[in-house]
Amino acid sequence: MGKERDLKLESYDISENRYRELKYFCKQYREKQSLLGAVTELSSPRFECTGTGNKIVDRTADTALKRVQLQRDIEMIEQAAMEADKEIKQYIISNVVDGIAYEYLQVPTGRRKFYESRKIFFTILSAKKGN
């Protein structure tokens, strides 16, 4: 597939750097899905002695927090795609996450509408992600 070009979203109040941040956040979607499935370690808290003090390490709580963050990121991307256009949500996700070009997706809508929905997706994602 060809080289991906950056979208110009200044008219949507998204700078070039912000767009790249969102783009690479989306590129981590599959990785986050895999990690979510793999992060299942449950154990009891353990007491750790260090040179500067003692602390309790609760791996179960750490695992739960990691799972919550991964799930929140995944849902943020999915929800933004749904809000942008619920009928082509999966096509938007395939495009922004996997880099599959419109021509290979067999989207049940026109090219112009697809790319407009993708721009709206990034606008919604930017608002959801904050910062």
Side-chain angles (χ1 to χ4, degrees), residues 4-44:
E4 285 185 48
R5 293 182 296 165
D6 285 347
L7 288 177
K8 302 295 182 203
L9 298 174
E10 285 82 14
S11 61
Y12 292 84
D13 292 326
I14 298 175
S15 70
E16 182 179 340
N17 289 331
R18 177 64 171 175
Y19 164 72
R20 287 182 180 168
E21 175 188 349
L22 296 170
K23 174 182 170 181
Y24 290 110
F25 177 75
C26 291
K27 296 283 184 194
Q28 297 172 44
Y29 179 85
R30 302 281 182 228
E31 180 181 335
K32 289 174 190 250
Q33 283 182 320
S34 293
L35 282 172
L36 183 62
V39 177
T40 59
E41 180 181 320
L42 298 175
S43 62
S44 60

Side-chain angles (χ1 to χ4, degrees), residues 78-102:
E78 291 172 350
Q79 190 63 37
M82 176 72 82
E83 290 177 28
D85 193 325
K86 65 181 178 185
E87 294 184 15
I88 61 170
K89 168 191 164 193
Q90 284 308 119
Y91 299 101
I92 292 171
I93 290 174
S94 292
N95 179 263
V96 299
V97 168
D98 302 320
I100 300 173
Y102 170 83

